[in-house]
Amino acid sequence: MSLKNSIGNLVSEEAFYKASVILLGGLPVIEVITEIIVRFDDRIIPSFFLPQVTGLFGILGTLLVIFYWLSMERGKRKLRIADIFYFTLLFFMIISAVFSRNPGLYAAGDYFYCENPLHFLAYYWIYFAGTLIDDPKYRRNILFLFAGVAVLEGVFAFLQTFNIELAYSLYYYTKHTAYGLTQNSNYYGGLCAVFIAGISGMYIFSDEVAGSKVLKYTLPAVLTVLFYTMLASRARLAWVGFAGLVVFYIISFTIMYRKDKETVKPAIKRSLVLLAAFSAVVLIALFFTDYIREAAVRSYWEVANGNVDKVGTDRIYNWKMGLRSVPDNWLTGVGLDNYSYVFRSSPEVYFQAKAHNEYIHVLVTQGVPAVINYLALLIFAGAGAVKSVINDTSKERRAVTWILIGMFITYCVQALFNGSVTYVAVYFWFITGLITPRTVIGRNKNRLF
């Protein structure tokens, strides 16, 4: 095989697909192995290897992108909007890191909580990879990958509701609380809501993507367990994300009903089946656990005490502190993942390494131009994907994109109250890439055009 063909294979659609699958499918497996090791070696803690693996893929993935651009024939090299966003994301990340108020310090130095430049390279590479994956078979397989990761996470999360843990939670944990393999129940709740969105879509559009009847009947059972563990995470932000998913399907079904009744009618029927199943889980949780009551009481007292800053477990206060720093740091932010800097002059004993609102976090840490770029990417990706659903003549392609939009919306909504961490964020960036509009890629086996 010639060097030219070797490089072509390296940067093919298949290569980006396989690399993405290895990373996203490998992360939870690595965490399971790590937690088994933890039981025998107290020098290792949960999530010990995940930041390192993510950073390594950030380097390797970026090299893959470089080879992709270098291998292009000059006459076929074309810069698309999706590509421009990849470079602008890199630009603002580098600028905020270089001009940080605390250079080299990320999330106050918490190695397992921080997002350093290598992690951002991983995010942006996997976003770029998603924009290149156009083959319907690959995109359908990716949905099954998400479902597989969700099941693996859900098994451990379900056991945790009975206080059965493989290792222990590195961060927040209370008894009978689900955190899966994420080390934090809030992170699990948000990620679980995204996976529920994906598997719900697979069931709703099972005629187009599921295939076998056995799988069609299995998906609702999987969803009921996952939904239960989502409630068991005690993460109210997961409820918000799930509500966003419900609103999304109501609106999209209303719009698409006029265009394709044959597809939408069975989809609505299956949605009602899922709604009944989720309602049954809510009743079970309400009468046999404290998951819903505790969240309701916590929300009530946050509002009833009259201190607005306390709402959302001090989130309002956290956001105020961050926004207060913007006028003096509007151009480059206080520094990449350096949110803790905003508390340096606070007279109160309070500290947060994340904004617990991803949009405010980007604004404060990377600056106004960066958050505008970020929001523009989300709008471009979402709007383009909606157009694809409306205009695509292939039922399978349209269904897959529809499902991915649901996952995208769910994450974006829960991100209003959640923080970004490597283990969860990589899935979101990949989903964003998958729905970002791009000119159809050339079918040449050795090269993407």
Side-chain angles (χ1 to χ4, degrees):
M1 182 181 292
S2 67
L3 178 61
K4 183 178 180 180
N5 287 335
S6 298
I7 295 176
N9 288 330
L10 180 65
V11 297
S12 67
E13 178 180 13
E14 182 181 8
F16 278 96
Y17 161 72
K18 288 182 177 179
S20 302
V21 167
I22 290 172
L23 174 60
L24 298 182
L27 286 177
V29 174
I30 291 171
E31 180 55 25
V32 171
I33 295 172
T34 303
E35 294 197 19
I36 293 174
I37 296 174
V38 169
R39 298 182 69 89
F40 301 98
D41 188 346
D42 57 9
R43 293 172 299 178
I44 303 295
I45 62 176
S47 292
F48 184 83
F49 298 105
L50 293 185
Q52 303 171 51
V53 172
T54 306
L56 177 62
F57 267 83
I59 296 172
L60 297 177
T62 302
L63 290 174
L64 196 61
V65 175
I66 292 173
F67 278 121
Y68 168 82
W69 285 106
L70 292 179
S71 66
M72 285 291 188
E73 295 178 10
R74 182 169 298 181
K76 296 179 179 179
R77 185 180 300 162
K78 184 177 181 181
L79 195 66
R80 298 177 175 83
I81 295 178
D83 305 326
I84 293 173
F85 275 119
Y86 172 76
F87 291 114
T88 56
L89 288 166
L90 281 177
F91 173 78
F92 289 121
M93 180 271 285
I94 294 170
I95 290 297
S96 63
V98 171
F99 293 97
S100 174
R101 296 289 186 173
N102 298 114
L105 186 68
Y106 310 101
D110 189 333
Y111 179 71
F112 301 99
Y113 193 45
C114 78
E115 296 170 298
N116 64 42
L118 295 183
H119 299 147
F120 282 93
L121 288 181
Y123 296 163
Y124 303 154
W125 158 72
I126 206 164
Y127 154 76
F128 185 81
T131 68
L132 297 177
I133 298 173
D134 185 63
D135 190 310
K137 180 182 68 176
Y138 292 158
R139 292 170 70 85
R140 185 176 64 253
N141 289 346
I142 287 166
L143 292 180
F144 285 101
L145 168 69
F146 290 150
V149 173
V151 169
L152 183 59
E153 290 274 355
V155 168
F156 290 99
F158 184 75
L159 292 174
Q160 287 156 5
T161 65
F162 299 96
N163 293 330
I164 301 173
E165 300 175 89
L166 185 56
Y168 57 87
S169 175
L170 194 61
Y171 293 106
Y172 169 76
Y173 175 70
T174 57
K175 289 184 177 182
H176 304 290
T177 300
Y179 60 88
L181 299 169
T182 68
Q183 307 311 317
N184 184 297
S185 58
N186 273 348
Y187 298 143
Y188 175 74
L191 182 62
C192 186
V194 173
F195 285 146
I196 286 173
I199 300 176
S200 293
M202 291 175 67
Y203 175 68
I204 290 170
F205 299 106
S206 55
D207 288 340
E208 287 76 26
V209 301
S212 70
K213 291 183 178 180
V214 174
L215 183 59
K216 291 180 183 180
Y217 295 131
T218 302
L219 290 177
V222 171
L223 283 166
T224 54
V225 174
L226 287 176
F227 189 74
Y228 174 78
T229 63
M230 188 193 82
L231 300 181
S233 72
R234 304 180 189 271
R236 291 172 291 177
L237 57 87
W239 279 89
V240 177
F242 182 78
L245 174 68
V246 173
V247 172
F248 161 71
Y249 271 114
I250 291 174
I251 294 174
S252 60
F253 282 156
T254 302
I255 294 173
M256 293 299 294
Y257 186 80
R258 297 179 179 179
K259 181 178 178 62
D260 189 355
K261 292 182 180 180
E262 292 184 5
T263 299
V264 175
K265 278 185 176 180
I268 292 176
K269 291 179 181 178
R270 294 193 184 98
S271 298
L272 294 176
V273 171
L274 291 184
L275 183 61
F278 293 149
S279 298
V281 174
V282 168
L283 291 175
I284 292 171
L286 186 62
F287 287 106
F288 296 100
T289 75
D290 70 336
Y291 299 143
I292 297 176
R293 292 194 301 272
E294 186 271 338
V297 170
R298 189 160 27 121
S299 301
Y300 170 78
W301 283 112
E302 286 176 351
V303 175
N305 69 13
N307 185 354
V308 176
D309 288 351
K310 289 291 182 181
V311 173
T313 319
D314 298 315
R315 276 172 171 73
I316 301 297
Y317 174 75
N318 192 13
W319 299 344
K320 283 182 178 179
M321 291 299 297
L323 294 173
R324 191 182 300 174
S325 72
V326 173
D328 294 330
N329 304 275
W330 69 272
L331 188 58
T332 61
V334 298
L336 191 69
D337 203 25
N338 187 37
Y339 198 85
S340 58
Y341 175 82
V342 306
F343 297 99
R344 73 197 188 287
S345 60
S346 174
E348 300 186 27
V349 182
Y350 183 87
F351 171 84
Q352 281 286 357
K354 302 281 186 178
H356 293 287
N357 177 306
E358 293 192 29
Y359 312 103
I360 293 178
H361 189 86
V362 175
L363 169 63
V364 173
T365 59
Q366 297 189 50
V368 173
V371 78
I372 291 175
N373 179 70
Y374 179 55
L375 293 174
L377 166 62
L378 299 185
I379 293 171
F380 175 74
V386 169
K387 289 181 179 179
S388 297
V389 170
I390 293 174
N391 299 322
D392 204 321
T393 56
S394 168
K395 289 187 176 182
E396 179 185 340
R397 290 177 61 88
R398 183 168 63 190
V400 171
T401 303
W402 205 330
I403 294 167
L404 291 169
I405 297 174
M407 300 178 74
F408 173 80
I409 293 293
T410 302
Y411 185 95
C412 287
V413 173
Q414 66 83 42
L416 291 166
F417 303 96
N418 210 351
S420 173
V421 289
T422 55
Y423 185 85
V424 177
V426 288
Y427 293 97
F428 169 68
W429 282 101
F430 190 46
I431 292 167
T432 303
L434 288 169
I435 69 169
T436 299
R438 187 181 185 91
T439 303
V440 175
I441 302 169
R443 296 300 181 183
N444 186 298
K445 295 181 180 179
N446 294 327
R447 192 179 302 278
L448 296 176
F449 299 129

